[in-house]
Amino acid sequence: MSLRFRLLLSFTSVVIVSVILFVLLSYLLSVAVTGDVRSLHNFYKIHYSLHPLSEEEESLFLDLKYLAKNDPEQLKDKQLLAQYNTQLKMEKAALVIRDNDTILYTAPSLSEVDLLAILPSYDMGNNMIRNTLNAGSRFFSYSKFDFYYSSSTNEKGSIFVLHERSPFAQVIRKLLPLLIALFVLILLLTGFLLYRYVTRKIIKPLDQLRRSAEHIKEGNLTFELKADSKDEVGQLVQTFDQMRQRLYDSIQLQIHYEENRKQLLSNISHDLRTPITTIKGYAEGIRDGVTNTEEKLNKYVHAIYTRASDMERLVNELLFYSKLDLKKEPFSFHKLELGPFLYNVADEMSIEFHDQDVELVWEKMPEQPLFVLADREKLKRVILNLFDNCLKYMNQQPKQITIAIEYQAEDVVITMKDNGPGIPEGDLPHIFERFYRVEPSRNQSKAGGSGLGLAIAQQIIEGHGGKISASSELGRGTSISFTLKIFEDRR
């Protein structure tokens, strides 16, 4: 059974139960007002509209009418009239006999009512009349019969059988069908509007979620869900769409990782094949006796050692990068004075700078001691990698490397700039990717390398909570900048 059908069934049940309760409440209210438990049985019999008396009262009224037609003088016998009134009293009715303009007999229960003022006038042409009348706050239904005591004297008389009723009950009796119809109409209209509202606000979003789940089951994650409201259902739709988006992003990331893995294997294979081929060639030369002199032998052995060292460096860098990428390389952060640290690292590279005629320029160095929170060894590796890149690619005189330090909010920015050939704009966004090289060839020439230096630098800087970026202009050099957190003594 669908949820939509259940809601429709629920609303229908509510309408039916509400109508039953309304009718029952109306009956109980009528009983409470009139005191007539049989009011449900007599509620809408025809004699309430045409005959205001019950069957027993009507029978007694017909007996009195018979006397009025055949022996009207007996209607002056107050003892007889009292007997009839007693019988009518059992039916909660009362007897009144009028003689011309005087009240010949009245029931004791009506003694306080000014009957002459409220009783209708004679209407001899329409002998039997059934109607209602009011006496102040009291309401009566009655049957009336006009007759002559004596045709010779034109003495007129009237028989009244009155039944006191509640005005409120009468109003209820007259209006109850209309009220029930109106109540049912309101319930149906309310139920229909509520059904439409619930369908639009709950059923349709749930159906949309169901279709979305089917799309996900079929592997389609490109659709988009939009919440039409901000209530719980809207939040559910929004959360479901966020889950879909994250699942889509996760799959895309997995595909990207898979492509990177394939590219990584291809790059590793390419980078290892070149030195292995070289080592194999030199080893075959030694085996075939090409190295017939000690000088050639030393040359071949040196070449084999160099290529083996390149392979070892590539494997070590790949292993280190993998640990950083998998968050398995621990960081040991300490308070570090930045200025002296940079001077010491540059001093270790002084021989390489001297051999290649590189001038080192220091700009915007802090006059006061500047402390950062860093892992000394890993930060040193970043600086050395950046120096190494500068030395590889600078090809014009004079060769110059500029180092600058600037404050930026709670961070310090270190910038290293060379005056090399620069990096093309299309390659610049990719230089921090692993194994990416700007030059088309992947051979490890003098200007080559493992392609992991900048990728390792990025992992280390991000591990410090900083960011690294690059800017370049062809023919004017490249600038690498990274940020570090300033050390705050919280003692």
Side-chain angles (χ1 to χ4, degrees), residues 162-210:
L162 289 82
H163 192 129
E164 186 171 5
R165 303 186 182 279
S166 168
F168 181 72
Q170 297 303 315
V171 171
I172 289 178
R173 288 190 177 95
K174 291 182 180 296
L175 297 182
L176 186 58
L178 179 61
L179 291 176
I180 292 177
L182 183 62
F183 182 70
V184 171
L185 181 62
I186 292 174
L187 278 179
L188 290 175
L189 182 60
T190 303
F192 175 75
L193 294 177
L194 185 60
Y195 174 75
R196 287 292 302 274
Y197 176 80
V198 172
T199 300
R200 186 175 68 254
K201 294 296 184 180
I202 298 179
I203 302 300
K204 286 186 178 179
L206 290 180
D207 188 58
Q208 188 181 19
L209 288 177
R210 179 188 60 79

Short mmCIF file of all heavy atoms in Angstrom, two decimals, residues 162-210:
data_model
loop_
_atom_site.label_atom_id
_atom_site.label_comp_id
_atom_site.label_asym_id
_atom_site.label_seq_id
_atom_site.Cartn_x
_atom_site.Cartn_y
_atom_site.Cartn_z
N LEU A 162 -50.64 22.17 24.14
CA LEU A 162 -49.32 22.81 24.01
C LEU A 162 -48.22 21.89 24.54
O LEU A 162 -48.40 21.18 25.54
CB LEU A 162 -49.28 24.13 24.79
CG LEU A 162 -50.10 25.31 24.23
CD1 LEU A 162 -51.57 25.18 24.65
CD2 LEU A 162 -49.52 26.63 24.72
N HIS A 163 -47.14 21.92 23.84
CA HIS A 163 -45.95 21.17 24.26
C HIS A 163 -44.78 22.15 24.30
O HIS A 163 -44.39 22.74 23.27
CB HIS A 163 -45.63 20.03 23.28
CG HIS A 163 -44.60 19.05 23.80
ND1 HIS A 163 -44.81 17.70 23.81
CD2 HIS A 163 -43.39 19.24 24.36
CE1 HIS A 163 -43.75 17.10 24.33
NE2 HIS A 163 -42.88 18.03 24.67
N GLU A 164 -44.27 22.35 25.51
CA GLU A 164 -43.15 23.30 25.65
C GLU A 164 -41.87 22.69 25.09
O GLU A 164 -41.51 21.56 25.40
CB GLU A 164 -42.96 23.70 27.11
CG GLU A 164 -41.90 24.79 27.27
CD GLU A 164 -41.86 25.35 28.67
OE1 GLU A 164 -42.59 24.84 29.54
OE2 GLU A 164 -41.10 26.31 28.90
N ARG A 165 -41.21 23.46 24.30
CA ARG A 165 -39.98 22.99 23.66
C ARG A 165 -38.87 24.04 23.83
O ARG A 165 -39.15 25.19 24.13
CB ARG A 165 -40.21 22.70 22.18
CG ARG A 165 -41.33 21.68 21.95
CD ARG A 165 -41.45 21.29 20.50
NE ARG A 165 -42.55 20.37 20.28
CZ ARG A 165 -42.49 19.06 20.50
NH1 ARG A 165 -41.37 18.53 20.97
NH2 ARG A 165 -43.55 18.29 20.28
N SER A 166 -37.65 23.55 23.61
CA SER A 166 -36.50 24.46 23.71
C SER A 166 -36.29 25.17 22.39
O SER A 166 -36.20 24.53 21.34
CB SER A 166 -35.23 23.67 24.07
OG SER A 166 -34.09 24.47 23.91
N PRO A 167 -36.22 26.49 22.39
CA PRO A 167 -35.94 27.21 21.13
C PRO A 167 -34.61 26.79 20.52
O PRO A 167 -34.47 26.68 19.32
CB PRO A 167 -35.91 28.68 21.56
CG PRO A 167 -36.65 28.72 22.85
CD PRO A 167 -36.41 27.40 23.52
N PHE A 168 -33.66 26.53 21.39
CA PHE A 168 -32.34 26.13 20.89
C PHE A 168 -32.43 24.78 20.20
O PHE A 168 -31.83 24.57 19.14
CB PHE A 168 -31.35 26.08 22.06
CG PHE A 168 -29.97 25.69 21.65
CD1 PHE A 168 -29.17 26.57 20.93
CD2 PHE A 168 -29.45 24.44 21.98
CE1 PHE A 168 -27.90 26.21 20.54
CE2 PHE A 168 -28.19 24.09 21.59
CZ PHE A 168 -27.40 24.97 20.88
N ALA A 169 -33.17 23.85 20.79
CA ALA A 169 -33.33 22.53 20.17
C ALA A 169 -34.04 22.65 18.84
O ALA A 169 -33.71 21.94 17.88
CB ALA A 169 -34.10 21.61 21.11
N GLN A 170 -35.01 23.57 18.76
CA GLN A 170 -35.71 23.73 17.50
C GLN A 170 -34.78 24.31 16.42
O GLN A 170 -34.83 23.91 15.26
CB GLN A 170 -36.92 24.67 17.71
CG GLN A 170 -37.97 24.14 18.67
CD GLN A 170 -38.50 22.79 18.22
OE1 GLN A 170 -38.80 22.61 17.04
NE2 GLN A 170 -38.60 21.85 19.15
N VAL A 171 -33.96 25.23 16.85
CA VAL A 171 -33.01 25.79 15.90
C VAL A 171 -32.06 24.70 15.41
O VAL A 171 -31.73 24.61 14.22
CB VAL A 171 -32.24 26.96 16.54
CG1 VAL A 171 -31.09 27.40 15.63
CG2 VAL A 171 -33.18 28.12 16.80
N ILE A 172 -31.66 23.87 16.39
CA ILE A 172 -30.76 22.78 16.02
C ILE A 172 -31.45 21.85 15.03
O ILE A 172 -30.86 21.42 14.04
CB ILE A 172 -30.30 22.01 17.27
CG1 ILE A 172 -29.33 22.87 18.09
CG2 ILE A 172 -29.62 20.70 16.89
CD1 ILE A 172 -28.86 22.22 19.35
N ARG A 173 -32.70 21.53 15.31
CA ARG A 173 -33.43 20.64 14.41
C ARG A 173 -33.55 21.22 13.01
O ARG A 173 -33.46 20.50 12.01
CB ARG A 173 -34.83 20.35 14.98
CG ARG A 173 -34.84 19.45 16.20
CD ARG A 173 -36.24 19.03 16.56
NE ARG A 173 -36.25 18.11 17.69
CZ ARG A 173 -36.43 18.46 18.95
NH1 ARG A 173 -36.64 19.74 19.23
NH2 ARG A 173 -36.40 17.58 19.91
N LYS A 174 -33.77 22.50 12.93
CA LYS A 174 -33.93 23.12 11.61
C LYS A 174 -32.59 23.28 10.89
O LYS A 174 -32.50 23.14 9.68
CB LYS A 174 -34.61 24.49 11.75
CG LYS A 174 -36.07 24.40 12.18
CD LYS A 174 -36.69 25.77 12.26
CE LYS A 174 -38.15 25.70 12.69
NZ LYS A 174 -38.98 24.99 11.70
N LEU A 175 -31.54 23.60 11.67
CA LEU A 175 -30.25 23.90 11.05
C LEU A 175 -29.30 22.71 10.98
O LEU A 175 -28.28 22.79 10.31
CB LEU A 175 -29.56 25.05 11.80
CG LEU A 175 -30.26 26.40 11.79
CD1 LEU A 175 -29.43 27.43 12.53
CD2 LEU A 175 -30.52 26.87 10.35
N LEU A 176 -29.62 21.64 11.72
CA LEU A 176 -28.68 20.53 11.79
C LEU A 176 -28.35 19.94 10.42
O LEU A 176 -27.17 19.67 10.13
CB LEU A 176 -29.22 19.43 12.73
CG LEU A 176 -28.25 18.28 13.00
CD1 LEU A 176 -26.95 18.81 13.59
CD2 LEU A 176 -28.87 17.24 13.92
N PRO A 177 -29.31 19.71 9.53
CA PRO A 177 -28.93 19.18 8.21
C PRO A 177 -27.97 20.11 7.47
O PRO A 177 -27.00 19.66 6.86
CB PRO A 177 -30.27 19.06 7.47
CG PRO A 177 -31.29 18.98 8.54
CD PRO A 177 -30.78 19.82 9.66
N LEU A 178 -28.29 21.43 7.56
CA LEU A 178 -27.39 22.38 6.91
C LEU A 178 -26.02 22.39 7.57
O LEU A 178 -24.99 22.45 6.89
CB LEU A 178 -28.01 23.78 6.95
CG LEU A 178 -27.19 24.91 6.32
CD1 LEU A 178 -26.97 24.63 4.85
CD2 LEU A 178 -27.87 26.25 6.53
N LEU A 179 -26.01 22.31 8.92
CA LEU A 179 -24.72 22.32 9.64
C LEU A 179 -23.91 21.07 9.30
O LEU A 179 -22.69 21.14 9.11
CB LEU A 179 -24.97 22.39 11.15
CG LEU A 179 -25.52 23.72 11.67
CD1 LEU A 179 -25.80 23.61 13.16
CD2 LEU A 179 -24.55 24.86 11.39
N ILE A 180 -24.62 19.91 9.25
CA ILE A 180 -23.91 18.68 8.91
C ILE A 180 -23.34 18.76 7.50
O ILE A 180 -22.18 18.39 7.25
CB ILE A 180 -24.84 17.46 9.07
CG1 ILE A 180 -25.18 17.23 10.54
CG2 ILE A 180 -24.19 16.21 8.48
CD1 ILE A 180 -26.14 16.09 10.78
N ALA A 181 -24.16 19.24 6.56
CA ALA A 181 -23.69 19.36 5.18
C ALA A 181 -22.51 20.33 5.10
O ALA A 181 -21.51 20.05 4.41
CB ALA A 181 -24.83 19.84 4.29
N LEU A 182 -22.62 21.46 5.81
CA LEU A 182 -21.54 22.43 5.81
C LEU A 182 -20.29 21.86 6.46
O LEU A 182 -19.17 22.04 5.98
CB LEU A 182 -21.99 23.70 6.53
CG LEU A 182 -21.00 24.86 6.55
CD1 LEU A 182 -20.70 25.33 5.13
CD2 LEU A 182 -21.54 26.03 7.38
N PHE A 183 -20.50 21.13 7.57
CA PHE A 183 -19.37 20.52 8.28
C PHE A 183 -18.67 19.49 7.40
O PHE A 183 -17.43 19.45 7.33
CB PHE A 183 -19.89 19.88 9.57
CG PHE A 183 -18.82 19.26 10.41
CD1 PHE A 183 -17.90 20.05 11.08
CD2 PHE A 183 -18.72 17.88 10.54
CE1 PHE A 183 -16.91 19.48 11.86
CE2 PHE A 183 -17.74 17.31 11.31
CZ PHE A 183 -16.82 18.12 11.97
N VAL A 184 -19.46 18.66 6.72
CA VAL A 184 -18.87 17.66 5.83
C VAL A 184 -18.12 18.34 4.68
O VAL A 184 -17.02 17.93 4.30
CB VAL A 184 -19.97 16.72 5.28
CG1 VAL A 184 -19.41 15.81 4.18
CG2 VAL A 184 -20.55 15.88 6.40
N LEU A 185 -18.73 19.41 4.14
CA LEU A 185 -18.07 20.13 3.06
C LEU A 185 -16.75 20.74 3.51
O LEU A 185 -15.73 20.66 2.80
CB LEU A 185 -19.01 21.23 2.54
CG LEU A 185 -18.47 22.08 1.38
CD1 LEU A 185 -18.22 21.20 0.16
CD2 LEU A 185 -19.45 23.20 1.03
N ILE A 186 -16.77 21.33 4.71
CA ILE A 186 -15.53 21.92 5.25
C ILE A 186 -14.49 20.83 5.47
O ILE A 186 -13.30 21.01 5.16
CB ILE A 186 -15.82 22.69 6.55
CG1 ILE A 186 -16.66 23.94 6.24
CG2 ILE A 186 -14.52 23.09 7.25
CD1 ILE A 186 -17.11 24.68 7.48
N LEU A 187 -14.93 19.69 6.03
CA LEU A 187 -14.00 18.59 6.27
C LEU A 187 -13.40 18.09 4.95
O LEU A 187 -12.20 17.84 4.85
CB LEU A 187 -14.70 17.45 7.00
CG LEU A 187 -14.83 17.58 8.52
CD1 LEU A 187 -15.58 16.39 9.08
CD2 LEU A 187 -13.47 17.70 9.18
N LEU A 188 -14.28 17.91 3.95
CA LEU A 188 -13.80 17.42 2.67
C LEU A 188 -12.83 18.42 2.03
O LEU A 188 -11.78 18.03 1.51
CB LEU A 188 -14.98 17.17 1.73
CG LEU A 188 -15.87 15.97 2.08
CD1 LEU A 188 -17.06 15.91 1.14
CD2 LEU A 188 -15.09 14.67 2.02
N LEU A 189 -13.19 19.71 2.09
CA LEU A 189 -12.32 20.73 1.52
C LEU A 189 -10.99 20.80 2.28
O LEU A 189 -9.91 20.86 1.66
CB LEU A 189 -13.03 22.09 1.55
CG LEU A 189 -12.25 23.27 0.94
CD1 LEU A 189 -11.96 23.00 -0.53
CD2 LEU A 189 -13.03 24.56 1.10
N THR A 190 -11.10 20.77 3.63
CA THR A 190 -9.87 20.80 4.43
C THR A 190 -9.02 19.57 4.18
O THR A 190 -7.79 19.66 4.04
CB THR A 190 -10.24 20.88 5.93
OG1 THR A 190 -11.05 22.03 6.15
CG2 THR A 190 -8.98 21.00 6.77
N GLY A 191 -9.67 18.40 4.13
CA GLY A 191 -8.93 17.17 3.86
C GLY A 191 -8.27 17.20 2.49
O GLY A 191 -7.12 16.78 2.33
N PHE A 192 -9.00 17.71 1.49
CA PHE A 192 -8.44 17.79 0.15
C PHE A 192 -7.23 18.73 0.11
O PHE A 192 -6.18 18.40 -0.47
CB PHE A 192 -9.51 18.26 -0.83
CG PHE A 192 -9.00 18.48 -2.23
CD1 PHE A 192 -8.72 17.41 -3.06
CD2 PHE A 192 -8.80 19.78 -2.70
CE1 PHE A 192 -8.23 17.62 -4.34
CE2 PHE A 192 -8.32 19.99 -3.98
CZ PHE A 192 -8.04 18.91 -4.81
N LEU A 193 -7.40 19.92 0.73
CA LEU A 193 -6.28 20.87 0.75
C LEU A 193 -5.10 20.31 1.52
O LEU A 193 -3.94 20.46 1.10
CB LEU A 193 -6.74 22.20 1.36
CG LEU A 193 -7.79 22.99 0.56
CD1 LEU A 193 -8.19 24.23 1.32
CD2 LEU A 193 -7.25 23.34 -0.82
N LEU A 194 -5.40 19.66 2.66
CA LEU A 194 -4.32 19.07 3.44
C LEU A 194 -3.64 17.94 2.67
O LEU A 194 -2.42 17.80 2.70
CB LEU A 194 -4.87 18.55 4.77
CG LEU A 194 -3.85 18.01 5.78
CD1 LEU A 194 -2.85 19.09 6.15
CD2 LEU A 194 -4.55 17.51 7.04
N TYR A 195 -4.45 17.15 1.96
CA TYR A 195 -3.90 16.07 1.15
C TYR A 195 -3.00 16.63 0.06
O TYR A 195 -1.90 16.11 -0.18
CB TYR A 195 -5.05 15.27 0.55
CG TYR A 195 -4.61 14.19 -0.43
CD1 TYR A 195 -4.04 13.02 0.02
CD2 TYR A 195 -4.78 14.39 -1.79
CE1 TYR A 195 -3.64 12.05 -0.88
CE2 TYR A 195 -4.38 13.42 -2.70
CZ TYR A 195 -3.82 12.25 -2.24
OH TYR A 195 -3.42 11.30 -3.12
N ARG A 196 -3.46 17.70 -0.60
CA ARG A 196 -2.63 18.33 -1.64
C ARG A 196 -1.35 18.90 -1.05
O ARG A 196 -0.27 18.77 -1.63
CB ARG A 196 -3.43 19.44 -2.33
CG ARG A 196 -4.52 18.95 -3.27
CD ARG A 196 -3.93 18.27 -4.50
NE ARG A 196 -3.04 19.16 -5.21
CZ ARG A 196 -3.43 20.04 -6.14
NH1 ARG A 196 -4.70 20.09 -6.47
NH2 ARG A 196 -2.55 20.82 -6.73
N TYR A 197 -1.50 19.53 0.12
CA TYR A 197 -0.32 20.13 0.76
C TYR A 197 0.69 19.06 1.14
O TYR A 197 1.89 19.18 0.86
CB TYR A 197 -0.75 20.91 1.99
CG TYR A 197 0.40 21.50 2.78
CD1 TYR A 197 1.02 22.68 2.38
CD2 TYR A 197 0.86 20.86 3.93
CE1 TYR A 197 2.07 23.21 3.10
CE2 TYR A 197 1.92 21.38 4.65
CZ TYR A 197 2.52 22.56 4.23
OH TYR A 197 3.56 23.07 4.94
N VAL A 198 0.20 17.99 1.79
CA VAL A 198 1.11 16.92 2.21
C VAL A 198 1.72 16.24 0.99
O VAL A 198 2.91 15.89 0.99
CB VAL A 198 0.34 15.90 3.09
CG1 VAL A 198 1.21 14.68 3.37
CG2 VAL A 198 -0.10 16.54 4.39
N THR A 199 0.90 16.08 -0.06
CA THR A 199 1.42 15.46 -1.28
C THR A 199 2.53 16.30 -1.89
O THR A 199 3.58 15.79 -2.29
CB THR A 199 0.28 15.26 -2.29
OG1 THR A 199 -0.71 14.41 -1.72
CG2 THR A 199 0.81 14.62 -3.57
N ARG A 200 2.28 17.62 -1.94
CA ARG A 200 3.27 18.51 -2.55
C ARG A 200 4.51 18.67 -1.68
O ARG A 200 5.63 18.73 -2.20
CB ARG A 200 2.64 19.87 -2.82
CG ARG A 200 3.56 20.81 -3.60
CD ARG A 200 2.87 22.11 -3.98
NE ARG A 200 2.59 22.93 -2.81
CZ ARG A 200 1.41 23.11 -2.29
NH1 ARG A 200 0.36 22.48 -2.80
NH2 ARG A 200 1.23 23.88 -1.24
N LYS A 201 4.31 18.74 -0.36
CA LYS A 201 5.43 19.02 0.53
C LYS A 201 6.18 17.77 1.00
O LYS A 201 7.35 17.87 1.38
CB LYS A 201 4.94 19.80 1.76
CG LYS A 201 4.43 21.19 1.46
CD LYS A 201 5.53 22.09 0.93
CE LYS A 201 5.03 23.51 0.72
NZ LYS A 201 6.09 24.41 0.20
N ILE A 202 5.53 16.62 0.98
CA ILE A 202 6.17 15.41 1.51
C ILE A 202 6.26 14.32 0.45
O ILE A 202 7.34 13.79 0.18
CB ILE A 202 5.40 14.90 2.75
CG1 ILE A 202 5.43 15.96 3.86
CG2 ILE A 202 6.01 13.59 3.25
CD1 ILE A 202 4.69 15.55 5.11
N ILE A 203 5.10 13.98 -0.16
CA ILE A 203 5.08 12.84 -1.08
C ILE A 203 5.96 13.10 -2.30
O ILE A 203 6.78 12.25 -2.68
CB ILE A 203 3.64 12.53 -1.51
CG1 ILE A 203 2.77 12.25 -0.26
CG2 ILE A 203 3.62 11.32 -2.44
CD1 ILE A 203 3.24 11.10 0.56
N LYS A 204 5.81 14.29 -2.91
CA LYS A 204 6.60 14.58 -4.10
C LYS A 204 8.11 14.60 -3.81
O LYS A 204 8.89 14.03 -4.57
CB LYS A 204 6.14 15.90 -4.73
CG LYS A 204 4.80 15.78 -5.45
CD LYS A 204 4.45 17.07 -6.18
CE LYS A 204 3.13 16.91 -6.94
NZ LYS A 204 2.75 18.16 -7.65
N PRO A 205 8.55 15.28 -2.72
CA PRO A 205 9.99 15.20 -2.41
C PRO A 205 10.47 13.78 -2.15
O PRO A 205 11.57 13.40 -2.57
CB PRO A 205 10.13 16.09 -1.17
CG PRO A 205 9.00 17.05 -1.26
CD PRO A 205 7.88 16.28 -1.86
N LEU A 206 9.64 12.98 -1.45
CA LEU A 206 10.03 11.59 -1.20
C LEU A 206 10.10 10.81 -2.51
O LEU A 206 10.99 9.97 -2.70
CB LEU A 206 9.03 10.93 -0.23
CG LEU A 206 9.07 11.43 1.22
CD1 LEU A 206 8.04 10.70 2.05
CD2 LEU A 206 10.45 11.25 1.82
N ASP A 207 9.15 11.07 -3.40
CA ASP A 207 9.18 10.40 -4.70
C ASP A 207 10.42 10.85 -5.49
O ASP A 207 11.04 10.04 -6.20
CB ASP A 207 7.90 10.73 -5.46
CG ASP A 207 7.77 9.92 -6.74
OD1 ASP A 207 7.78 8.68 -6.65
OD2 ASP A 207 7.66 10.53 -7.83
N GLN A 208 10.76 12.12 -5.34
CA GLN A 208 11.97 12.62 -6.00
C GLN A 208 13.22 11.94 -5.43
O GLN A 208 14.14 11.58 -6.18
CB GLN A 208 12.06 14.14 -5.81
CG GLN A 208 13.18 14.80 -6.59
CD GLN A 208 13.23 16.30 -6.36
OE1 GLN A 208 12.68 16.80 -5.39
NE2 GLN A 208 13.88 17.03 -7.24
N LEU A 209 13.22 11.74 -4.11
CA LEU A 209 14.33 11.03 -3.48
C LEU A 209 14.39 9.59 -3.96
O LEU A 209 15.48 9.04 -4.17
CB LEU A 209 14.19 11.08 -1.95
CG LEU A 209 14.44 12.43 -1.28
CD1 LEU A 209 14.19 12.32 0.22
CD2 LEU A 209 15.85 12.91 -1.53
N ARG A 210 13.23 8.97 -4.12
CA ARG A 210 13.20 7.59 -4.60
C ARG A 210 13.80 7.50 -6.01
O ARG A 210 14.63 6.62 -6.29
CB ARG A 210 11.77 7.06 -4.59
CG ARG A 210 11.63 5.63 -5.11
CD ARG A 210 10.17 5.26 -5.26
NE ARG A 210 9.48 6.13 -6.20
CZ ARG A 210 9.56 6.01 -7.51
NH1 ARG A 210 10.32 5.06 -8.06
NH2 ARG A 210 8.90 6.84 -8.30
#
